[in-house]
Amino acid sequence: MIIYTEENLDLAWHEDCKFRSKIGEQWLGREDYRRRFEEELDEYIAGLKQVEDLDIIIPKWITDIIDAEINE
């Protein structure tokens, strides 16, 4: 299980909202984003998805932290 801070979740959600605004898509509510964030991270950690295949914006700095922890 990955533990993340609420602050990191908020930063990631805001990046996703900015991206969605830029391409004219509707924002996800924060709790909807959290659910998808956790699902996407689970798939990324399991090796089922690469960063570029994630369905929502998860900042690279988050996947970098995960990769560092896994490779530690």
Side-chain angles (χ1 to χ4, degrees):
M1 177 171 144
I2 296 292
I3 298 181
Y4 55 86
T5 65
E6 291 298 305
E7 180 180 358
N8 286 347
L9 175 69
D10 285 339
L11 290 170
W13 176 56
H14 287 206
E15 285 188 38
D16 186 73
C17 290
K18 287 178 188 176
F19 178 76
R20 288 175 185 280
S21 290
K22 184 185 271 187
I23 63 171
E25 282 191 20
Q26 186 175 3
W27 292 6
L28 296 174
R30 187 175 180 279
E31 290 308 310
D32 288 334
Y33 180 82
R34 176 195 303 274
R35 181 183 52 78
R36 293 188 60 194
F37 178 84
E38 291 172 352
E39 289 170 358
E40 293 288 323
L41 285 181
D42 285 345
E43 290 183 9
Y44 175 75
I45 292 165
L48 302 173
K49 286 190 175 181
Q50 299 298 312
V51 172
E52 58 273 3
D53 299 326
L54 298 175
D55 295 331
I56 60 171
I57 300 299
I58 295 180
K60 183 163 177 5
W61 56 267
I62 289 181
T63 56
D64 287 346
I65 291 169
I66 292 168
D67 292 342
E69 288 292 322
I70 290 172
N71 294 318
E72 197 171 85

